[in-house]
Amino acid sequence: MKKTLKRIAMAVAAAAVLTAVPFMSGCESSHPEAVITISYDGTEYELNYKLYRNMYPQTIRHFIELAESGFYNNTIIHNYSGSSYMYGGGYSYSDTYETDYDEGELGMLDYFEINSKEAEYYNLAINTDTLTPSVYRDNIDGRYIDALPTVIGEVGETHVIQNGELTGSFGALRMYYSDKSFDDDFDDTVYLDKDGNDDVVIMADYEQHSATSLFSIQTSSSSGSSDYCIFGQLIETQALTDLISAIESDTVTVSDVPIDTRDVLLGEADVANFEDFTVTALPIIVVSVEITRY
């Protein structure tokens, strides 16, 4: 009798393992979660986010890959408007920040050039295959070549979200898209890999299907713009409210910062567009971006 019970127990245990394998192998959820820890004036603020993989799978994959590589850790918010947004993901933090700020606009312009994360982004994408390429620049003899380390933006004509657009809200997490139309020498028609296997590839306008490392956090309660893919929302808002209250109003505007038009990571490029940034008197530091639920 004991042997029979033992065999039954072993069979039940084996069945449990077999049924658990498919579950564990498909452990990605529709709503991953992330914690963005931001430091300002010596105090840290943890922003807890719910991400929407069910709506923007490529954008979420791209963001998670960057977060897991540590790309966002020890970066700064390089463009800030207390009533609208804060942008990050383009520049590392350096303790020369306050000195550069004291030197005014030219000092901060040098700061952006020295601390651009463009080289690191391309190293992740091209040399280490850390980022999943989903956009191809050319097709030769049936092969999609020159893969670009960008993500399908899940958008269509005029940047309209195809899978059910999230409404902008206080703290909304957005991925930045870029307009490359000013570069007449750049053919912005590319091949989009919809599933990562090269078997479902369509032609589309690169401008509407390219996200980079840049993200923004909405600091207003407006509905936002469909020019940005809103892919995450705050689980609770108090930490962001406290952060905004703590930030000093003293700012400096930095004009004509060069923007890379090819993949829209900030920094020097052969063909560059230029943007103006507003930085705060004390640095707003992105200490880390951690994925806490997959």
Side-chain angles (χ1 to χ4, degrees), residues 62 119-133 147-150 263:
H62 186 63
E120 183 176 340
Y121 182 72
Y122 279 111
N123 180 61
L124 284 171
I126 298 172
N127 298 330
T128 66
D129 292 328
T130 298
L131 306 183
T132 304
L148 300 174
T150 58
D263 219 17

Side-chain angles (χ1 to χ4, degrees), residues 118-152:
E118 179 181 25
E120 183 176 340
Y121 182 72
Y122 279 111
N123 180 61
L124 284 171
I126 298 172
N127 298 330
T128 66
D129 292 328
T130 298
L131 306 183
T132 304
S134 58
V135 180
Y136 300 86
R137 188 170 286 154
D138 209 348
N139 179 303
I140 298 179
D141 297 329
R143 289 183 60 248
Y144 299 99
I145 64 171
D146 195 14
L148 300 174
T150 58
V151 66
I152 298 174

Side-chain angles (χ1 to χ4, degrees), residues 206-228:
Y206 183 25
E207 170 189 336
Q208 295 174 356
H209 295 270
S210 56
T212 63
S213 66
L214 301 187
F215 68 86
S216 66
I217 296 173
Q218 188 173 323
T219 57
S220 71
S221 57
S222 67
S223 59
S225 167
S226 59
D227 287 349
Y228 303 90

Side-chain angles (χ1 to χ4, degrees), residues 5 23 57 65 72-73 79 94 108 119 130 139 151 155 157 172 214 216 227-228 247 250 254 261 274 281 292:
L5 290 175
F23 173 76
E65 287 174 341
Y72 292 122
N73 299 346
N79 196 11
S94 169
M108 288 307 300
T130 298
N139 179 303
V151 66
V155 295
E157 293 182 1
L214 301 187
S216 66
D227 287 349
Y228 303 90
I247 293 174
D250 191 14
V254 186
T261 64
F274 299 90
T292 56

